[in-house]
Amino acid sequence: MSQYQTELLAPDAAGIAQAAGLLADGHIIAMPTETVYGLAGDATNDVACARIFDAKGRPRFNPLIIHLPSLDAARQIAVLTKEAEALAKAFWPGPLTLVLPLRPGHGLSQLVTAGLNTVAIRIPAHPIARALLSALPFPLAAPSANPSGRISPTSPSHVMAGLKGKLAGILDGGTCDVGLESTILAAGPPPRLLREGGLARETIEPITGPLLTDTTPGKVQAPGQLSSHYAPVAQLHMDSNLLDDRAIRIGYGPGMASDLTLSTSGDLVEAAANLFSILHRADALANERGATEIHVAEVPNRGLGRAINDRLNRAAAPRAD
């Protein structure tokens, strides 16, 4: 693929207009969302979507989330059931992705859906992402802006470190607030949880009732379901007592000797927001010290802790590559 002089684009009207122009010409850029940075391209353009896969080194069977500016735009591409409408009205814009049946004449590239008859849709809450989407006549395919299987990016510097030269620009939105990818639901009936994420199950279930969980099915139905994902270069180990000082140690909660910490106070929201940034820092520290392992303290498996543990489990899994 072409090598780009990756440019940092200002988070103002001129930068958004420049980003929109690059996207309209079939190039790919990184855009901020409240969850993580997305590697964005025109979801109706086969070449743009192929550039996303090429830049990430992403398996072709792994579908892409598309990002839209409004619920009306989603209705033009997908069929929303009664359950989906209720979820969309409750949680969009925000860190929820719904997997929905495609509407005839949707116009999306087949690379987006990976051969499925469904599409994963999200309406992001980040003001810069919303301004960009509103300036475009097409939806954006936007998986996380990192090499496939590696740590997701929550800042422009993370994107630059992983993908410099492989995308035209990075729209600078600062550090992402949520720091975990979106929760993914197959809207149903009945609704099924396909990926834990930035919207906790406890927040969703008052609307859906108890959710069925299908986070690692035999066939990939949604992004983020590969068993090995979000991995640092150093081997990650979970639920560690952090006694091995040869490893890079990531703590959680007060009174724990560690090199880095997800949250000194044991706050799961803070830990979720810090997760990918801390993993990036741990990997850099491992490289600096010549360490081969990263050890992570136990994180409670409740609320956002389930999403954190899902990412850590996948990061610790045997490598797909």
Side-chain angles (χ1 to χ4, degrees), residues 58-321:
R58 187 183 180 96
R60 292 301 197 270
F61 55 78
N62 203 4
L64 304 177
I65 293 175
I66 67 165
H67 292 65
L68 293 167
S70 68
L71 180 53
D72 283 342
R75 293 185 183 116
Q76 294 174 30
I77 290 173
V79 178
L80 273 73
T81 61
K82 179 181 178 182
E83 291 82 2
E85 288 277 353
L87 288 162
K89 288 173 182 175
F91 301 119
W92 279 353
L96 175 68
T97 294
L98 294 177
V99 177
L100 302 164
L102 282 164
R103 187 174 291 283
H106 54 78
L108 297 175
S109 167
Q110 290 189 358
L111 290 173
V112 169
T113 60
L116 303 174
N117 61 2
T118 55
V119 62
I121 292 178
R122 187 163 90 86
I123 299 176
H126 197 291
I128 295 172
R130 293 183 61 74
L132 177 61
L133 287 162
S134 296
L136 296 169
F138 48 78
L140 291 179
S144 56
N146 57 291
S148 188
R150 298 305 180 188
I151 307 166
S152 297
T154 56
S155 72
S157 64
H158 295 162
V159 179
M160 196 69 81
L163 295 178
K164 183 178 181 180
K166 296 184 177 182
L167 69 169
I170 301 170
L171 192 52
D172 186 358
T175 301
C176 302
D177 290 337
V178 175
L180 282 174
E181 295 92 340
S182 59
T183 300
I184 302 181
L185 292 183
R192 288 178 296 124
L193 180 67
L194 301 182
R195 182 177 76 181
E196 300 271 11
L199 187 66
R201 177 197 305 248
E202 290 87 343
T203 306
I204 300 168
E205 288 184 332
I207 291 176
T208 61
L211 284 168
L212 300 174
T213 302
D214 192 8
T215 54
T216 310
K219 181 177 180 181
V220 173
Q221 302 172 76
Q225 288 189 310
L226 295 177
S227 60
S228 176
H229 207 48
Y230 316 108
V233 174
Q235 182 61 51
L236 187 139
H237 296 274
M238 290 180 63
D239 297 340
S240 170
N241 54 20
L242 304 190
L243 294 180
D244 187 349
D245 59 10
R246 296 168 300 176
I248 304 304
R249 299 172 294 175
I250 300 175
Y252 175 82
M256 181 172 286
S258 61
D259 300 288
L260 302 163
T261 184
L262 294 170
S263 171
T264 54
S265 64
D267 184 312
L268 288 172
V269 174
E270 180 184 18
N274 287 338
L275 177 62
F276 291 131
S277 177
I278 291 293
L279 289 178
H280 278 286
R281 289 169 59 191
D283 222 15
L285 199 56
N287 182 62
E288 179 184 317
R289 296 182 184 175
T292 59
E293 295 184 357
I294 296 169
H295 292 184
V296 186
E298 184 175 1
V299 175
N301 202 42
R302 63 175 186 272
L304 288 178
R306 279 195 294 270
I308 293 168
N309 285 322
D310 172 81
R311 302 308 188 274
L312 290 172
N313 271 310
R314 294 176 194 272
R319 305 299 170 84
D321 54 357

